[in-house]
Amino acid sequence: MKKAILFLALFTAYFSFAQQEREFPKYNAKNSANIFYYNFAEVPPKIKVKDDETKNKTIKVLRQYNDKIKKISFLNSAKLQQLELTINSLGKQLYSNRDLAEKVGKQVRETIRPIRDSIDVHEKVLNEELKSFLNKKQFKKWTKYQKAQKRELLPKAPKNQNNNGSQSMMGRRNGPGMGGRRY
């Protein structure tokens, strides 16, 4: 009898955790369109620019790029806000209604793609200008920095709230019973 009750308790606990709905992350249209600005004060030290002339050129080029991106952002702000409002208000319905999800996906592509393409054009111009006066090491550091900035725009996966530490032991390479040392 005790085994049956224990089995029933474990069975219900398992399915109650499995049935919880995923949390819908808040959509940010500016992030998906790659709209962000570089910090002038942060970039020269990050890419190890020591020469004042090169530092000033770098800041000037970054300032011009940021101005162009601000114009793009301003011109498209209404579209982006409407898109954010649509996606965030529909939220969980997008998981259950496939037709609605396809319509919203099409709307996202039609709105975001042209903005992202125009930003990519300005980004290529920025990289070409920086490449003209930075040395190879500095330019390599610049591309790494640029990729890291873009990576920060990607949405984070929601964390699972029902995980109470049992998974952390399973993921370790030399956890108990996982082929660790046996002295």
Side-chain angles (χ1 to χ4, degrees):
M1 183 69 179
K2 288 182 182 179
K3 289 182 181 179
I5 293 173
L6 181 63
F7 177 74
L8 183 63
L10 289 174
F11 186 74
T12 56
Y14 173 76
F15 279 107
S16 67
F17 286 126
Q19 295 297 324
Q20 288 181 350
E21 292 183 26
R22 292 189 294 178
E23 183 181 319
F24 190 77
K26 188 174 181 187
Y27 180 75
N28 189 338
K30 282 189 174 187
N31 285 355
S32 69
N34 282 344
I35 295 176
F36 67 97
Y37 310 105
Y38 292 108
N39 184 350
F40 318 129
E42 183 180 276
V43 172
K46 287 274 186 184
I47 63 174
K48 308 281 190 218
V49 174
K50 293 184 176 25
D51 182 33
D52 285 337
E53 184 180 337
T54 309
K55 197 179 288 187
N56 290 336
K57 283 182 184 179
T58 305
I59 291 171
K60 180 183 174 188
V61 170
L62 289 173
R63 189 168 282 145
Q64 290 172 349
Y65 173 81
N66 282 353
D67 289 343
K68 291 173 187 174
I69 299 304
K70 283 179 186 175
K71 285 179 187 174
I72 291 171
S73 176
F74 176 73
L75 294 173
N76 295 297
S77 63
K79 289 181 199 175
L80 295 173
Q81 285 176 349
Q82 179 63 35
L83 189 64
E84 267 184 29
L85 182 64
T86 302
I87 292 175
N88 288 331
S89 64
L90 292 174
K92 293 178 182 174
Q93 293 175 7
L94 295 174
Y95 287 132
S96 58
N97 190 343
R98 187 176 177 99
D99 293 332
L100 182 63
E102 287 178 9
K103 286 180 185 177
V104 171
K106 184 179 179 186
Q107 182 183 3
V108 167
R109 285 188 297 276
E110 289 175 353
T111 306
I112 298 293
R113 236 183 227 151
I115 298 170
R116 194 181 290 168
D117 290 344
S118 64
I119 289 174
D120 285 344
V121 168
H122 292 298
E123 196 172 276
K124 285 179 184 173
V125 170
L126 169 69
N127 287 342
E128 288 300 317
E129 287 183 26
L130 287 173
K131 193 173 190 175
S132 69
F133 61 84
L134 292 176
N135 64 32
K136 283 185 180 181
K137 269 188 174 178
Q138 291 169 339
F139 188 71
K140 187 174 180 180
K141 287 181 186 287
W142 162 253
T143 54
K144 281 185 178 180
Y145 174 79
Q146 192 175 40
K147 287 177 186 174
Q149 293 295 98
K150 287 183 181 180
R151 217 175 294 122
E152 287 180 16
L153 299 177
L154 297 174
K156 308 291 183 268
K159 294 187 178 177
N160 194 354
Q161 299 297 330
N162 18 339
N163 189 0
N164 56 3
S166 62
Q167 287 285 359
S168 64
M169 289 299 287
M170 298 290 281
R172 290 194 186 140
R173 177 134 174 93
N174 289 329
M178 299 296 285
R181 289 187 172 164
R182 296 180 195 121
Y183 290 109

